[in-house]
């Protein structure tokens, strides 16, 4: 695999394990037990990797605010690959996320040369209607990049923190790359950070579900988040092996540091641009600290967290209080102290017109292969199924798809099929079968040769026809409901 991922090529990534080593993406299965009723893409290992998804899982469990954000370049037909991203946006929205969807018309303008009008038509007709038909709720925000002032302003500010050499290292840009293309990259970073702006409730964990080819945008944005922040909170160790929290505010106004010092109840050292919170974490400190959070909702959220820890600690009084429980309580007290500090830091930064972005989290899903095997390509109609394909035509495409079966029935009965090399099984795995048991049964029957490709394809084709018919009816309903949605168009 090339050591650069390119968001604008249609390269197929075959060796996902390399992504863990080369780009520091963590395996998703390790975090699966922490997710309340995980999505089928998670259960079925279709989502294979993540960055920092722990904070999203925790927000889902505790009811803390978090967001899901994603973007679609309005470049062509909306297909099953886009549905995968839309499904994940809708799922996170159902789990309590505030949802943001950007239609990347700046990107389509700069990379594909599309007019603004064409971007708008494709954006609505293809992507927005399908997104709503798949269950996106009106509380979410949908916007065209060209119409969203806050994204454009933020993109400009982000542009001041990155230079051509850095963009080249991440994206492989050359002297031929247009300024608009570079600006569209800064706009993508602004898209991802937008949910954390003050007008949307300030800093919070944000997840961006993507295919691995989009990781360059995440790496750029995570770096920029740190560079934009007025303060940086760090955990450090004393010479004796104890821990303390440190806030650095390189370039922050001295008044902002003074304000921060006022709001940290405990022993504090203030240097020119640097505050050390030396206090050993304890309940009394925590209770005084939590009152320094101005936002009532957030204050209450942390108050509940502290009460939960106290209830746990009280329920296991000595002598039953085990070493593990002591450790558990200490760890949670310490973690909560850090989070409260981050919260207060974010509020002070906002008061002094600064940023406090949390680096965005991300999930990475496998790509579907083409229906004929090989790569799925938008320019080869038989390799993919568009969500707007005529349902009967969609069913025919399934029937023409490459399977993992043998040439003759006899052979298949004797040797069995190969579901992992079968496009039809992949369709069922990703989209057509909800029930895990049913899917496992199909897989088993295929492998041991009791299932034949003809009837299997027939079932998948019927399900696909049914799905497309239903989806397209919902798209027409969505068209009538468009006015109920918050959509920001280009003026
Ligand atoms: Fe694929 Fe079904 Fe044939 Fe197995 S029986 S190879 S799953 S089409």
């Amino acid at each position: 695999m090339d050591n650069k991922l390119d968001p604008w090529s249609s390269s197929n990534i075959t060796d996902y394990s390399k992504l863990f080593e080369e780009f520091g993406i963590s395996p998703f299965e390790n975090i699966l037990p922490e997710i309340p009723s995980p999505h089928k893409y998670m259960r079925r290992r279709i989502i294979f990797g993540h960055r920092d998804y722990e904070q999203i899982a925790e927000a889902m469990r505790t009811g803390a605010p978090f967001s899901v954000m994603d973007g679609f370049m309005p470049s062509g037909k909306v297909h099953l690959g886009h549905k995968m991203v839309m499904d994940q946006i809708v799922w996170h929205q159902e789990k309590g996320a505030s949802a943001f969807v950007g239609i990347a018309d700046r990107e389509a303008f700069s990379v594909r040369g599309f007019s603004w009008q064409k971007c708008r038509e494709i954006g609505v007709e293809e992507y927005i209607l399908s997104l709503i038909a798949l269950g996106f709720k009106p509380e979410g925000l949908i916007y065209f990049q060209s119409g969203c002032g806050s994204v454009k302003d933020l993109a400009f500010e982000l542009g001041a923190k990155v230079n051509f050499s850095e963009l080249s290292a991440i994206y492989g840009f050359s002297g031929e790359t247009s300024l608009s293309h570079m600006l569209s990259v800064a706009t993508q970073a602004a898209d991802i950070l937008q949910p954390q702006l003050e007008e949307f409730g300030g800093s919070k964990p944000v997840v961006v579900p993507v295919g691995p080819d989009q990781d360059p945008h995440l790496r750029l944005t995570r770096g920029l988040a740190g560079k934009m922040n007025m303060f940086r909170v760090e955990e450090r160790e004393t010479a004796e092996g104890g821990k303390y929290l440190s806030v650095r505010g390189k370039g922050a106004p001295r008044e902002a540091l003074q304000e921060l010092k006022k709001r940290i109840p405990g022993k504090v050292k203030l240097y020119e641009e640097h505050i050390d919170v030396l206090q050993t974490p304890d309940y009394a400190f925590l209770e005084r600290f939590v009152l320094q959070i101005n936002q009532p909702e957030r204050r209450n959220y942390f108050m509940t967290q502290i009460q939960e820890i106290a209830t746990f600690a009280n329920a296991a009084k000595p002598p039953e209080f085990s070493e593990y429980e002591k450790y558990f309580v200490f760890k949670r007290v310490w973690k909560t102290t850090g989070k409260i500090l981050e919260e207060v830091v974010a509020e002070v930064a906002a008061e002094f017109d600064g940023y406090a972005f949390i680096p965005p989290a991300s999930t990475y899903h496998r790509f579907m292969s083409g229906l004929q095997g090989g790569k799925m390509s938008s320019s080869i109609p038989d390799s993919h199924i568009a969500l707007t394909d005529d349902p009967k035509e969609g069913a025919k495409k399934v029937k023409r798809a490459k399977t993992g079966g043998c040439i003759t029935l006899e052979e298949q009965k004797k040797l069995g099929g190969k579901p992992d090399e079968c496009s039809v099984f992949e369709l069922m795995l990703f989209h057509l079968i909800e029930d895990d048991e049913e899917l496992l049964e199909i897989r088993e029957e295929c492998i041991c040769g009791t299932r034949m490709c003809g009837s299997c394809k027939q079932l998948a084709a019927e399900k696909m026809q049914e799905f497309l018919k239903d989806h397209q009816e919902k798209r027409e309903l969505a068209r009538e409901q468009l006015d109920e949605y918050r959509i920001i168009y280009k003026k």
Side-chain angles (χ1 to χ4, degrees):
M1 190 183 67
D2 194 345
N3 67 359
K4 274 202 181 68
L5 294 170
D6 179 356
W8 300 284
S9 90
S10 51
S11 64
N12 211 9
I13 295 161
T14 46
D15 188 354
Y16 292 110
S17 63
K18 280 195 182 169
L19 294 169
F20 300 139
E21 293 147 33
E22 288 183 30
F23 296 106
I25 292 171
S26 308
F28 199 83
E29 59 190 330
N30 298 349
I31 199 178
L32 203 58
E34 294 175 36
I35 301 168
S37 42
H39 189 274
K40 71 169 186 285
Y41 296 151
M42 298 171 173
R43 300 193 307 268
R44 297 177 184 179
R45 310 287 191 265
I46 292 167
I47 294 175
F48 64 89
H50 76 98
R51 284 186 204 272
D52 285 354
Y53 197 78
E54 295 87 355
Q55 48 179 330
I56 302 296
E58 186 180 336
M60 285 194 278
R61 287 195 311 270
T62 60
F66 72 107
S67 293
V68 58
M69 191 288 138
D70 232 308
F72 299 94
M73 177 162 73
S75 58
K77 289 269 167 208
V78 61
H79 53 63
L80 290 174
H82 299 115
K83 173 181 175 285
M84 289 180 68
V85 176
M86 293 177 183
D87 284 342
Q88 293 175 69
I89 297 170
V90 169
W91 183 81
H92 282 99
Q93 197 183 26
E94 282 165 4
K95 294 279 178 187
S98 51
F100 296 73
V101 175
I103 302 297
D105 57 348
R106 275 188 151 194
E107 190 185 11
F109 187 100
S110 64
V111 179
R112 299 287 163 92
F114 287 2
S115 70
W116 297 119
Q117 184 55 30
K118 186 170 180 180
C119 288
R120 177 171 171 145
E121 281 165 19
I122 299 176
V124 175
E125 274 304 314
E126 296 292 330
Y127 298 87
I128 296 179
L129 290 183
S130 274
L131 177 71
I132 296 174
L134 288 168
F136 190 79
K137 305 273 181 317
E139 298 78 47
L141 176 68
I142 303 172
Y143 62 91
F144 285 75
Q145 289 173 325
S146 61
C148 191
S150 51
V151 162
K152 287 194 283 190
D153 288 348
L154 182 56
F156 186 76
E157 289 181 50
L158 292 171
K161 301 282 181 193
V162 63
N163 61 34
F164 178 72
S165 310
E166 288 161 317
L167 290 182
S168 266
I170 296 177
Y171 294 103
F173 283 172
S174 70
E176 305 297 307
T177 307
S178 75
L179 182 58
S180 298
H181 192 173
M182 287 187 251
L183 197 54
S184 82
V185 163
T187 311
Q188 310 258 13
D191 284 329
I192 296 173
L193 294 175
Q194 178 182 226
Q196 299 194 62
L197 293 179
E198 268 310 288
E199 61 191 284
F200 297 110
S203 70
K204 65 177 86 59
V206 178
V207 60
V208 191
V210 290
D213 60 331
Q214 300 298 310
D215 189 53
H217 297 314
L218 267 304
R219 275 184 283 139
L220 174 71
T221 310
R222 286 168 63 87
L224 283 173
K227 287 186 194 171
M228 292 294 283
N229 286 351
M230 181 176 268
F231 301 113
R232 210 167 70 210
V233 178
E234 288 167 351
E235 200 177 283
R236 303 176 139 220
E237 284 203 0
T238 62
E240 300 79 46
K243 284 204 281 189
Y244 67 100
L245 292 163
S246 174
V247 186
R248 285 175 177 276
K250 203 156 188 282
R254 189 163 173 81
E255 301 75 44
L257 282 158
Q258 295 283 10
E259 174 60 24
L260 199 52
K261 186 185 170 194
K262 261 201 294 184
R263 289 173 65 175
I264 299 172
K267 273 195 225 159
V268 162
K269 278 189 189 169
L270 174 69
Y271 300 101
E272 195 56 34
E273 297 171 319
H274 184 186
I275 294 173
D276 282 343
V277 185
L278 293 169
Q279 184 78 42
T280 311
D282 62 29
Y283 283 121
F285 178 79
L286 264 188
E287 279 168 2
R288 289 202 308 280
F289 202 3
V290 92
L291 296 174
Q292 301 302 318
I293 298 175
N294 288 335
Q295 245 188 304
E297 254 180 44
R298 302 294 293 145
R299 193 169 56 229
N300 293 344
Y301 165 74
F302 281 107
M303 212 48 116
T304 314
Q305 296 290 304
I306 295 170
Q307 276 155 10
E308 265 180 29
I309 307 172
T311 311
F312 178 87
N314 287 338
K317 280 207 168 77
E320 299 90 49
F321 204 101
S322 68
E323 279 308 307
Y324 170 75
E325 283 163 338
K326 272 191 227 162
Y327 172 74
F328 181 82
V329 169
F330 181 83
K331 218 171 109 184
R332 278 204 61 187
V333 168
W334 178 254
K335 217 169 136 192
T336 309
T337 308
K339 291 209 162 169
I340 296 171
L341 179 60
E342 275 169 8
E343 199 75 24
V344 172
V345 158
E347 285 190 355
V348 174
E351 269 169 42
F352 288 85
D353 214 15
Y355 294 113
F357 294 127
I358 298 172
S362 45
T363 58
Y364 301 89
H365 54 254
R366 276 165 49 194
F367 293 119
M368 289 185 69
S369 39
L371 293 175
Q372 303 300 325
K375 282 191 280 190
M376 185 191 270
S377 164
S378 309
S379 54
I380 308 171
D382 256 11
S383 77
H384 71 272
I385 292 176
L387 301 184
T388 49
D389 273 351
D390 174 71
K392 285 191 183 138
E393 182 50 32
K396 279 187 194 155
K397 283 187 183 177
V398 176
K399 288 190 184 162
R400 290 198 293 267
K402 172 188 161 280
T403 72
C406 301
I407 295 171
T408 65
L409 278 183
E410 285 67 36
E411 264 184 280
Q412 177 120 351
K413 282 181 189 161
K414 203 166 127 201
L415 304 170
K418 293 180 180 152
D420 298 335
E421 294 171 20
C422 173
S423 303
V424 178
F425 184 77
E426 201 178 52
L427 283 173
M428 296 192 274
L429 173 79
F430 280 61
H431 300 287
L432 299 176
I433 308 260
E434 280 305 310
D435 183 351
D436 290 353
E437 295 282 315
E438 187 184 346
L439 192 71
L440 279 176
E441 213 169 287
I442 292 174
R443 190 183 150 79
E444 283 305 307
E445 287 173 4
C446 171
I447 291 171
C448 51
T450 54
R451 191 174 188 89
M452 297 300 119
C453 292
S455 55
C456 195
K457 273 183 169 183
Q458 182 62 31
L459 173 80
E462 280 166 17
K463 283 191 179 285
M464 181 57 75
Q465 187 168 337
E466 216 173 284
F467 162 73
L468 289 174
K469 186 170 170 288
D470 177 63
H471 180 69
Q472 288 165 20
E473 283 168 8
K474 288 184 176 148
R475 278 174 54 90
E476 288 317 305
L477 275 180
R479 195 186 297 284
E480 289 165 23
Q481 294 166 348
L482 274 179
D483 286 348
E484 295 166 27
Y485 282 77
R486 284 197 294 163
I487 305 177
I488 304 175
Y489 297 101
K490 183 174 172 61
K491 308 261 179 332

